């Protein structure tokens, strides 16, 4: 109704000069008119300009006087022509006030009335007697208040007096003046948001006005699955290995025998890593079913008495120990299987890599978990030297964004020489350990059956370390395990390495 009133009026008239007066004339609430004007203005059917007016409204006290008359006039009327005692006056005055006014308020109105009536010189208040000084009074205050209530214009002096008596307050009134807008139509058409089958059948699609596309609207957030940072970094590292011509090793067995995890790697059976404090052994099945017997024999011999130019460890090697099943402690277990398999045919140089899970019976803290991912690379060829290893490590790590490297001599049972790899971390301004490396020992390679002039250079590192650095995670438990916040996985950015 309000919308029709506004649009209809503008069809025949140039302007609605004042929404307030318009609302009054139409008998529609001003709030309703204002809402419609705002909406029509938004769609540019009308062009609305703000108008602001200061206007006067009655206070609660002003309201009271507009209704019942001013206290001074009421007081004057309570004084009979022959006079009255003060006590009597107050009693009659207060009894004439409406019942719904509180006693306390009644007595303050009495005080106001007597003060004003004295000030106006309408009455005289003696010690006990009160008497009239004039015959007749007009209630100008009441008349003025009613005029203000009706929105009539009242002189500045009167306004000032009423304001000082706190009978009126100023209020900013907001309204609009309204003209036709660029999209003006006598009736607002509701724009269609969809083209329906019915529109096509009826043919009314020709007339329908369609809502414009909002190309700036943001789409619904997609609720698809998200890749975990470890998977993103793994993918990037995989790409680096592939660019460098490496083949992936099959790492799909978390359960391994001690033989491939330790013995084949020339790790003595008394080595502390083979203790249940460091390694998870399987209860069921507790031992492996099958090992290549002639190779096992050669491994036993190299542990006990050496050969191939080695003295061995000189202890009694036990088959039961080698048979024990465990959760692999490193992916080098897979490397030993792969090298053994490679040694069974005519030799061809190989570059192998793997990225998969390993398990260690370790106390969990902010940098250690009992399971993590290992990245492993190895190159198997004739005549490889430590220089080749250093060169390939520079190549590999610089593709990860770590081009400042340092190497420190280290020890692994299966490599000689061995080197820990350090990279300079620009953010932390220090050298951080990023991996371990070495050249596999002849005690490991020769029993497998690899030719004597074949060397294997290899290195390993965790996937978690570079991922934590790249994604700024400083507690490994925030990255992996049951405490991971799923929104971290949703929010984290893509990973780009090796470009
Ligand atoms: N297996 C070693 C580790 O678990 C890493 C490594 C791999 C070291 C290959 C040397 C050569 O830390």
């Amino acid at each position: 109704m309000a919308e029709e009133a506004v649009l209809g009026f503008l069809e025949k008239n140039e302007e609605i000069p004042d929404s307030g007066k318009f609302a009054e004339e139409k008998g529609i609430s001003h709030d309703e008119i204002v809402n419609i004007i705002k909406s029509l203005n938004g769609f540019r059917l009308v062009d609305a300009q703000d108008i602001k007016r200061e206007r006067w409204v009655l206070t609660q006290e002003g309201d009271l006087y507009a209704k019942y008359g001013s206290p001074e006039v009421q007081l004057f009327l309570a004084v009979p022509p022959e006079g009255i005692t003060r006590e009597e006056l107050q009693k009659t005055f207060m009894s004439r006030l409406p019942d719904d006014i509180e006693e306390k308020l009644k007595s303050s109105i009495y005080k106001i009335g007597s003060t004003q009536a004295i000030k106006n010189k309408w009455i005289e208040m003696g010690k006990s007697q009160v008497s009239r000084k004039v015959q007749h009074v007009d209630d100008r205050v009441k008349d003025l208040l009613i005029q203000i209530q009706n929105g009539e214009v009242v002189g500045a002096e009167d306004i000032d007096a009423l304001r000082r008596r706190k009978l009126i307050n100023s209020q900013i009134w907001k309204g609009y003046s309204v003209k036709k807008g660029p999209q003006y139509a006598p009736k607002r058409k509701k724009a269609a948001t969809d083209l329906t089958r019915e529109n096509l059948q009826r043919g009314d699609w020709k007339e329908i006005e369609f809502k414009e596309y909002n190309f700036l609207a943001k789409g619904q957030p997609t609720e698809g699955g998200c890749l975990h940072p470890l998977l993103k970094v793994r993918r990037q590292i995989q790409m680096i290995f592939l660019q460098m011509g490496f083949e992936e090793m099959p790492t799909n067995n978390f359960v391994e025998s001690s033989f491939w995890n330790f013995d084949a790697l020339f790790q003595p059976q008394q080595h502390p890593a083979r203790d249940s404090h460091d390694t998870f052994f399987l209860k069921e099945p507790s031992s492996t079913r099958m090992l290549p017997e002639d190779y096992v024999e050669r491994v036993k011999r190299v542990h006990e008495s050496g050969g191939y130019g080695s003295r061995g460890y000189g202890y009694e090697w036990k088959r039961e120990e080698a048979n024990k099943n465990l959760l692999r402690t490193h992916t080098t277990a897979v490397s030993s299987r792969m090298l053994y398999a490679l040694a069974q045919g005519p030799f061809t140089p190989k570059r192998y890599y793997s990225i998969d899970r390993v398990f260690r019976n370790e106390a969990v803290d902010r940098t250690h978990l009992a399971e993590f991912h290992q990245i492993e690379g190895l190159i198997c060829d004739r005549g490889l030297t430590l220089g080749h290893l250093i060169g390939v490590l520079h190549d590999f790590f610089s593709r990860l964004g770590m081009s400042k490297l340092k190497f420190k001599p280290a020890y692994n049972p299966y490599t000689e020489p061995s080197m820990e790899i350090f990279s300079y971390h620009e953010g932390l301004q220090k050298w951080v350990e990023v991996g371990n490396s070495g050249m596999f020992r002849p005690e490991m390679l020769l029993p497998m059956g690899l030719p004597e002039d074949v060397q294997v250079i290899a290195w390993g590192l965790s996937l978690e370390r570079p991922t934590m650095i790249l994604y700024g995670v400083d507690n490994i438990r925030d990255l992996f395990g049951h405490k991971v916040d799923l929104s971290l996985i949703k929010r984290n950015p893509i990973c780009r390495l090796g470009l």
Side-chain angles (χ1 to χ4, degrees):
M1 187 175 86
E3 179 163 324
E4 281 151 33
V6 172
L7 291 175
F9 187 86
L10 288 176
E11 198 178 3
K12 293 179 203 101
N13 302 276
E14 183 71 12
E15 188 185 25
I16 298 173
D18 185 318
S19 58
K21 295 209 176 86
F22 183 76
E24 218 172 280
E25 282 161 24
K26 298 285 170 190
I28 301 170
S29 87
H30 188 232
D31 282 348
E32 200 180 325
I33 291 283
V34 163
N35 283 338
I36 285 300
I37 290 172
K38 279 184 186 162
S39 155
L40 291 171
N41 190 54
F43 288 99
R44 312 188 62 199
L45 272 91
V46 303
D47 184 12
Q49 299 294 328
D50 290 349
I51 42 178
K52 276 185 193 158
R53 265 202 305 268
E54 191 180 38
R55 59 168 195 175
W56 296 99
V57 290
L58 306 195
T59 61
Q60 238 181 346
E61 193 181 345
D63 251 344
L64 199 67
Y65 300 171
K67 216 158 141 194
Y68 301 112
S70 68
E72 55 270 33
V73 170
Q74 294 308 306
L75 189 111
F76 176 83
L77 295 176
V79 179
E82 66 279 10
I84 188 171
T85 65
R86 275 187 182 226
E87 243 171 88
E88 244 345 271
L89 174 62
Q90 184 163 0
K91 240 202 262 161
T92 40
F93 177 88
M94 285 175 58
S95 68
R96 284 184 188 186
L97 288 172
D99 291 339
D100 57 341
I101 299 179
E102 263 180 73
E103 276 315 290
K104 236 174 113 186
L105 188 55
K106 282 184 180 173
S107 74
S108 86
I109 292 172
Y110 170 74
K111 264 183 220 136
I112 294 167
S114 50
T115 318
Q116 287 295 332
I118 294 166
K119 210 173 129 196
N120 292 352
K121 301 199 168 65
W122 291 348
I123 58 164
E124 195 166 38
M125 232 181 233
K127 272 218 174 91
S128 58
Q129 254 333 88
V130 184
S131 54
R132 285 187 178 185
K133 284 179 82 181
V134 292
Q135 294 309 310
H136 175 80
V137 296
D138 287 325
D139 202 344
R140 271 208 81 216
V141 169
K142 181 181 176 180
D143 294 345
L144 286 169
L145 289 173
I146 288 170
Q147 278 170 38
I148 288 168
Q149 225 169 24
N150 293 338
E152 289 164 35
V153 185
V154 169
E157 234 171 274
D158 289 328
I159 288 286
D160 208 40
L162 294 173
R163 203 173 44 77
R164 271 189 277 122
R165 279 186 72 176
K166 295 201 173 68
L167 302 182
I168 57 172
N169 263 335
S170 87
Q171 201 182 51
I172 301 296
W173 178 89
K174 285 185 191 141
Y176 293 99
S177 71
V178 188
K179 284 186 179 156
K180 284 190 182 104
Q183 305 287 349
Y184 174 82
K187 232 181 140 140
R188 165 149 57 171
K189 270 194 204 157
K190 210 165 157 35
T193 51
D194 275 319
L195 178 63
T196 65
R197 179 168 169 266
E198 288 71 27
N199 296 148
L200 293 170
Q201 282 174 338
R202 286 194 297 259
D204 58 8
W205 57 272
K206 287 176 210 159
E207 279 85 53
I208 291 177
E209 207 175 292
F210 288 96
K211 193 167 179 180
E212 273 180 51
Y213 280 109
N214 178 3
F215 293 108
L216 299 176
K218 285 192 175 145
Q220 289 272 80
T222 52
E223 283 298 323
C226 302
L227 290 177
H228 188 283
L230 283 173
L231 295 179
K232 296 185 202 181
V233 176
R234 184 179 76 174
R235 180 80 188 136
Q236 290 296 306
I237 291 174
Q238 217 161 25
M239 297 312 286
I240 290 171
F241 274 119
L242 294 176
Q243 282 165 11
M244 290 173 72
F246 283 64
E247 291 171 50
E248 188 168 4
M249 295 185 272
T251 48
N252 54 348
N253 58 312
F254 293 171
V255 174
E256 188 52 274
S257 64
S258 292
F259 180 77
W260 292 111
N261 193 84
F262 293 127
D263 297 277
L265 288 160
F266 197 49
Q267 189 142 333
Q269 294 188 326
Q270 309 77 32
H271 193 281
R274 300 181 67 151
D275 198 271
S276 62
H277 291 293
D278 290 313
T279 300
F280 293 113
F281 287 95
L282 257 72
K283 281 203 184 120
E284 193 64 52
S286 64
S287 63
T288 186
R289 269 183 291 152
M290 222 179 18
L291 293 173
E293 292 306 329
D294 57 334
Y295 175 48
V296 169
E297 199 50 43
R298 293 195 296 275
V299 168
K300 172 185 159 78
R301 238 182 301 128
V302 81
H303 276 245
E304 289 187 336
S305 55
Y308 321 99
S310 169
R311 286 195 282 139
Y313 291 118
Y315 71 97
E316 198 191 321
W317 187 86
K318 293 207 176 70
R319 176 63 184 261
E320 310 85 77
E321 201 57 46
N323 282 347
K324 282 183 184 169
N325 278 335
L326 45 73
L327 291 178
R328 70 174 174 224
T329 64
H330 52 186
T331 46
T332 316
V334 180
S335 301
S336 62
R337 277 180 182 271
M338 289 301 282
L339 288 171
Y340 172 76
L342 185 68
Q344 303 321 297
F347 178 73
T348 39
K350 284 286 179 192
R351 279 176 260 191
Y352 287 137
Y353 82 93
S354 68
I355 309 172
D356 209 343
R357 210 172 282 202
V358 299
F359 308 84
R360 291 182 191 176
N361 195 357
E362 269 185 297
V364 170
D365 64 26
R366 58 192 302 117
T367 52
H368 293 89
L369 290 177
E371 56 185 301
F372 64 99
H373 297 77
Q374 218 170 34
I375 303 164
E376 180 146 333
L378 63 90
I379 301 174
C380 178
D381 204 351
R382 295 182 201 273
L384 292 176
T385 65
L386 193 66
H388 289 108
L389 176 58
I390 291 173
V392 82
L393 289 175
H394 272 293
D395 188 1
F396 174 79
F397 280 96
S398 65
R399 289 169 193 255
L400 279 175
M402 304 179 198
S403 39
K404 254 196 209 171
L405 296 183
K406 255 197 208 176
F407 305 100
K408 186 177 137 189
Y411 173 77
N412 295 308
Y414 40 91
T415 54
E416 184 58 36
S418 311
M419 302 187 301
E420 275 173 0
I421 309 158
F422 289 81
S423 157
Y424 190 73
H425 192 288
E426 298 293 343
L428 300 174
Q429 299 264 310
K430 65 173 186 184
W431 292 92
V432 292
E433 200 201 322
V434 291
N436 186 4
S437 67
M439 299 184 70
F440 284 142
R441 296 184 76 104
E443 290 96 326
M444 168 183 166
L445 300 180
L446 295 176
M448 289 175 169
L450 285 168
E452 268 191 53
D453 58 346
V454 166
Q455 279 82 35
V456 178
I457 54 177
W459 70 99
L461 62 146
S462 85
L463 176 62
E464 281 75 2
R465 176 64 72 85
T467 304
M468 286 169 74
I469 294 173
L470 286 166
Y471 283 92
V473 176
D474 67 353
N475 187 338
I476 197 163
R477 288 167 289 192
D478 293 336
L479 185 69
F480 192 72
H482 65 285
K483 287 188 177 162
V484 171
D485 175 3
L486 288 181
S487 68
L488 165 112
I489 297 168
K490 265 195 180 172
R491 281 193 326 261
N492 64 54
I494 58 165
C495 175
R496 298 281 262 178
L497 292 174
L499 294 170

